[in-house]
Amino acid sequence: MPLFAVICRDHPGKLQTRLDTRESHLAFLGAQPGVKLAGPLIENGQPCGSLLVVEGNGLTEVKEWAAQDPYNAAGLFASVEVIEWKKVIG
């Protein structure tokens, strides 16, 4: 099954939205068997987005899945990019 990178960038000034929604975001990710890696992007010591590596059946499926993330539903993300990714090292 292919892997996909999900690259999300937060809207500026939305740190409180991230903090308020964190538990539901983590619960959502924890319930997904395809999530291989996940964590925040950091800029100037503060979260500014998210990076996930997800196993899925195809690009459309992963995009639809990513759209259901509670962070996205809360309006945290300014952008969400999903692209197929190939593991080479690690």
Side-chain angles (χ1 to χ4, degrees), residues 14-25 71 74:
K14 290 279 194 167
L15 179 59
Q16 193 59 52
T17 300
R18 175 176 279 275
L19 296 174
D20 292 345
T21 316
R22 186 172 188 269
E23 291 305 316
S24 57
H25 165 74
Y71 277 170

Side-chain angles (χ1 to χ4, degrees), residues 6-11 18 25 39-43 46-52 71 76-79:
V6 181
I7 306 157
C8 309
R9 299 295 292 194
D10 294 357
H11 283 285
R18 175 176 279 275
H25 165 74
L41 300 172
I42 306 295
E43 192 171 75
Q46 296 291 324
C48 63
S50 299
L51 172 64
L52 300 93
Y71 277 170
L76 175 63
F77 296 144
S79 67

Side-chain angles (χ1 to χ4, degrees), residues 31-47:
Q32 309 302 317
V35 175
K36 302 300 178 190
L37 300 168
L41 300 172
I42 306 295
E43 192 171 75
N44 299 319
Q46 296 291 324

Side-chain angles (χ1 to χ4, degrees), residues 1-8 28-29 32 34-35 52-69 72 80-85:
M1 196 174 295
L3 294 170
F4 297 86
V6 181
I7 306 157
C8 309
F28 172 78
L29 295 182
Q32 309 302 317
V35 175
L52 300 93
V53 175
V54 178
E55 191 175 60
N57 290 317
L59 186 62
T60 299
E61 176 190 80
V62 176
K63 284 182 176 182
E64 289 171 356
W65 171 85
Q68 297 174 34
D69 187 319
N72 194 43
V80 177
E81 179 182 6
V82 180
I83 187 167
E84 191 168 345
W85 179 75

